[in-house]
Structure formats: C-alpha cells, structure tokens
Amino acid sequence: MDTIKYVLSENQMPTAWYNIQADLPQSLPPVLNPGTGKPVTPDDLLPLFPLALIEQEVSQQRWIDIPDEVRSIYCQWRPTPLYRARRLEKALDTPAKIYYKYEGVSPSGSHKPNTAVPQAYYNKQAGVKKLTTETGAGQWGSSLAFAGALFDLEVLVYMVKVSYQQKPYRRALMESYGARVVASPSPETEAGRKILAEYPNSTGSLGIAISEAVEVAAADEYTKYALGSVLNHVLLHQTVTGLEALTQLEMAGDYPDIVIGCTGGGSNFAGITFPFIGAKLRGERDIQVIAVEPAACPSLTRGKYAYDFGDTAHLTPLTKMHTLGSGFVPEGIHAGGLRYHGMAPLVSHIVNLGLVQPRAEYQLGCFAAGLTFARAEGILPAPEANHAVKAAIDEALRCKSTGVSKTILFNLCGHGHFDMQAYIDYQAGQLVDTEYSASEVAMALAGLPVVE
C-alpha cells in the first residue's frame, strides 16, 4: 500500500527548539519601553515573565535545549503524525502532493501545548504560583489549563466574550483542567471596567483580554502572565512541529515546494514554517511560504508595519509588527484564535523581508474547504486551521490547472470537535462573510504611538 502517515518514535523527537533569529539577514527591531522610548530591559519584563523565558525571548542562539521534563511531557502526544493527503489529492484530481502535520492529537486538541508546557515548567521553576492569560477560541486557554494542572499552578483565563458565548465546550474543558474562566471584557479589572463603561455590549477582543490578564499578573509577585502567541519564545517552542516535519519528509523522500500556515498571532505558522525558512536563509533549499489570515482581521495584508501596543489598555511594551491598531475590535467570526489586531514581530519582520506571501480569506470559503477536507481525510479541522486548508486546496488546484506537480505542506493545527456550532451555522446558511471595517482600522491606526 502507499504510505499514508509518517510516524516518528519518541527518541526521534527534537532535543532542541530552533531559533530563527540566528539566521535572519537583519536583526529584529527592538521592543521599546513606552514610557522611555528605549529598548526594554529584563527588569522591565520580570513582573510578567520568569527570567528563563526572557532570556529565550532575546536569545540569538540557533538551538535552545528542550528540558528533559518538558520532553517527557511532550511524549504524551509527540511526535505528531505527518499525513500524505492521498484521498484529498484524488478528490481534487490534482498532480500535487499534499502533506499535513496534524497537531490535533494533543490532549487539548491543538498545537498550543507545545508552548504551554514549557511556559508552565519555567514558571514553576521560578516559584510562581499562578498564571493569567487570555484566549480567543479557547485552544490556548485549554492548553495552559492542561499545563497548569501538570505543574500545580493556578490558572486564570480571560476569554474573549464572543468566543465565551460561542464555545461553551471549550470553556468547560478549561474548567475541567482546573482553570477559572472569565468572559472578557469583565468587571473584575480596571481595563475591563473601562471598556464596559464605554461599550456595554462589547464582544471583546484578544487585545482587551490581554490587558485584563496583564493587569492581574502585574499586581502580584507570585503571579505571572503567559501568552499563547506573538512573542519570540512562544514561536520558538512551536518549532518542534516543523523540525519533526523535516525528519518525516526525509522518511517520505520528499521536500515541500510550498509551506502553509494560518496566522492570527503567528504561533502555529511559525511552528511549521520557521525551520524551513531557516534552511532557505542558510542557502540549503528554496521554498514558497504562504501565511493565511482572516479577511475580517487582516493585519498582514491590510495592516501597517509600525510600533504598537500588544493590548488595548496599553499595558504592554511597544513592538514593531503588522497591526490594525490596538483599539481595533474585529467582527465575531468563528475563527476566534485569529482575531488579533497585530502579528508576531518575528512573523511581521520576515514578511517585511519578503520571505513570506500573506493572503486573506473569507470564512465561508474556509468552511467549504474544511468540509471538502473532512469528507476526504476524515478529520474535521478547527475554523482557524481551515484557512490553511483553503490555501492548500487552492494551490493544489493551481497545480491541476497548470499541469505542474508541486509538494505542499500545511499545518493542521487543531481539530474542530469543540466548534460544531460553527459548522451547524455554516451548513444552515447562517454564517456570512464580513469585511474588516476600514473606518474602524483608520481610527485605531490614528492612535498609534509616536516612535522617533
């Protein structure tokens, strides 16, 4: 039989994460203290993060060892399988070869534990008792709740209100792991109360939820903040995905021409693409890289590359990123994990260097692609992952129209088992495509901080 899945043994799992900063032709613009306009120091970040993660954030080393205890926990689900999508290829009648790395086999059902576990580990090592965080669709919140249970850490999750209402089962999973989940904006924080006073019916945003989580963490020395995307150390931890894929494609005797990931904050995209982009930067192999974002929140394709706050209440440092403005609140599309006003500084930087081709997709086309994939491969993707599925199918159909065979790799970053209401609504014709609000973005961008 033709091989369908490529599976590694536990001793073939990577022993170190890959840091793309070691191979960049231009250094990442510095993170700035909004009060002084100067680059942040470790002391600026210590109220929010343990020193070990701060060191990873600024490291220029190509390889950073994965602690043995973290690797041991990774073995609960890693290495994850790489699939050759032969049934999808047949359904599309394409000469393309399609591979997908499936991260939905983790305990929480997505790629997010790849960073939740090491973040919990380093915080526990530092004597931290409690972690606060935000979550959109709930993939990150449930992953941090899982990691918190492993390391006996209290976890408080501010969940974007529209997702809190749309995804009760994801909320229930977080609570099953022992986390406390609060709909954001909430009356529990100054940031939340301020938003509710101005917008009583606010559906929330990741920027608002980040503000609430940061506010709580900064007020207690035994509480730290954990972020599920955007920051360098988060993207670093996710590269275990792409590193495994490199080995699995060697087993298949193949190498991708195109690598695809969906993008909201950048963690899943970085995880699958950075090891391949690194090889390209070192002159080893050339590839095309595609980042797919929602048309309702198009930071890469419609945003401005500028310094901005990572949160709505302006409690975070300033980072240079593709942004729609920290005050922008996107429409309540079901891909809640992609509804963030900014993009990871590292992802923004490599896009600005011309190493990545960004594109934006509407949710109806993405759900249609997800059902096409599910009916061929049997796995129902999360709404976020459908963006990568859509681009992979489009590229495979382009191969069909040109008669050129290419090898396509994408990251299927999570399953849709907790997103069934979204699929029910889609098949009932109740979902609509929404444009980002150009006027709201203009207003949000008008408030960008002035950086000399």
Side-chain angles (χ1 to χ4, degrees):
M1 292 190 300
D2 293 328
T3 302
I4 299 294
K5 62 181 180 294
Y6 297 86
V7 182
L8 303 177
S9 64
E10 290 177 3
N11 62 13
Q12 290 176 290
M13 187 168 55
T15 59
W17 295 298
Y18 167 65
N19 183 6
I20 198 172
Q21 294 193 73
D23 293 315
L24 290 175
Q26 297 176 22
S27 297
L28 192 66
V31 177
L32 302 180
N33 182 312
T36 65
K38 305 290 186 183
V40 297
T41 66
D43 287 344
D44 293 327
L45 299 176
L46 277 173
L48 296 180
F49 305 106
L51 184 58
L53 291 178
I54 295 171
E55 290 173 344
Q56 291 181 2
E57 186 71 15
V58 299
S59 174
Q60 301 296 308
Q61 295 179 356
R62 180 174 289 117
W63 300 103
I64 295 178
D65 290 341
I66 305 174
D68 289 343
E69 188 171 358
V70 172
R71 291 188 79 243
S72 176
I73 295 172
Y74 274 176
C75 288
Q76 293 290 122
W77 71 96
R78 305 212 70 86
T80 59
L82 177 78
Y83 285 86
R84 171 78 182 272
R86 295 185 183 274
R87 294 182 183 277
L88 179 63
E89 293 170 11
K90 183 177 180 181
L92 299 176
D93 189 26
T94 176
K97 291 183 286 183
I98 306 172
Y99 295 89
Y100 58 97
K101 184 76 162 138
Y102 185 44
E103 293 292 294
V105 296
S106 80
S108 61
S110 78
H111 64 295
K112 293 293 188 179
N114 297 335
T115 185
V117 168
Q119 286 192 56
Y121 167 82
Y122 289 118
N123 275 284
K124 185 69 173 183
Q125 294 289 102
V128 173
K129 305 296 183 185
K130 177 179 177 179
L131 293 175
T132 65
T133 195
E134 78 297 321
T135 196
Q139 301 274 25
W140 166 243
S142 55
S143 298
L144 190 67
F146 160 65
L150 295 178
F151 289 99
D152 193 26
L153 293 168
E154 183 181 349
V155 176
L156 171 60
V157 182
Y158 288 93
M159 188 174 187
V160 176
K161 186 172 292 182
V162 65
S163 293
Y164 184 94
Q165 296 166 343
Q166 289 174 340
K167 303 176 190 296
Y169 297 122
R170 183 64 65 178
R171 185 172 80 242
L173 180 61
M174 289 183 253
E175 293 169 343
S176 298
Y177 285 134
R180 179 169 172 258
V181 187
V182 177
S184 174
S186 79
E188 296 190 359
T189 65
E190 183 179 342
R193 289 189 293 270
K194 183 177 178 181
I195 293 292
L196 290 172
E198 190 171 358
Y199 305 102
N201 297 318
S202 172
T203 55
S205 71
L206 282 167
I208 295 169
I210 290 171
S211 294
E212 296 203 81
V214 167
E215 180 182 322
V216 173
D220 179 13
E221 64 175 313
Y222 294 106
T223 300
K224 297 291 185 185
Y225 169 65
L227 187 62
S229 193
V230 179
L231 296 179
N232 300 344
H233 67 267
V234 179
L235 277 54
L236 170 81
H237 300 155
Q238 290 293 351
T239 59
V240 66
T241 302
L243 294 170
E244 287 181 3
L246 276 166
T247 302
Q248 289 162 315
L249 284 164
E250 287 179 9
M251 292 171 60
D254 219 335
Y255 198 88
D257 299 295
I258 305 169
V259 184
I260 300 168
C262 64
T263 50
S267 66
N268 135 74
F269 172 79
I272 192 69
T273 65
F274 276 12
F276 292 94
I277 295 172
K280 178 176 181 175
L281 289 170
R282 295 190 299 272
E284 297 169 12
R285 297 289 293 262
D286 192 21
I287 54 165
Q288 177 187 1
V289 181
I290 300 173
V292 194
E293 62 185 4
C297 193
S299 60
L300 285 175
T301 54
R302 298 292 185 94
K304 184 176 181 180
Y305 187 48
Y307 274 100
D308 197 6
F309 291 95
D311 73 309
T312 303
H314 299 175
L315 302 177
T316 61
L318 296 173
T319 55
K320 193 166 187 182
M321 59 183 176
H322 285 270
T323 179
L324 296 167
S326 60
F328 176 66
V329 178
E331 294 289 336
I333 59 172
H334 274 280
L338 307 185
R339 296 175 64 252
Y340 183 56
H341 69 269
M343 186 58 62
L346 268 173
V347 175
S348 297
H349 186 54
I350 63 172
V351 168
N352 203 51
L353 292 174
L355 297 169
V356 173
Q357 300 171 6
R359 65 177 63 166
E361 297 288 352
Y362 292 96
Q363 70 172 350
L364 293 184
C366 291
F367 273 101
L371 290 181
T372 296
F373 180 86
R375 290 165 184 172
E377 295 292 312
I379 299 171
L380 189 69
E384 294 81 8
N386 279 338
H387 291 70
V389 174
K390 172 71 162 59
I393 289 176
D394 287 348
E395 292 303 314
L397 292 176
R398 184 172 289 109
C399 289
K400 178 180 179 180
S401 65
T402 61
V404 176
S405 176
K406 291 187 177 182
T407 298
I408 301 166
L409 169 68
F410 72 94
N411 198 9
L412 188 57
C413 57
H415 64 64
H417 299 173
F418 291 103
D419 303 287
M420 296 313 302
Q421 189 61 51
Y423 282 97
I424 291 171
D425 292 345
Y426 170 74
Q427 296 193 87
Q430 295 175 357
L431 296 187
V432 297
D433 284 331
T434 56
E435 285 279 2
Y436 80 109
S437 171
S439 60
E440 287 185 24
V441 170
M443 289 176 60
L445 289 176
L448 284 177
V450 178
V451 176
E452 297 180 359

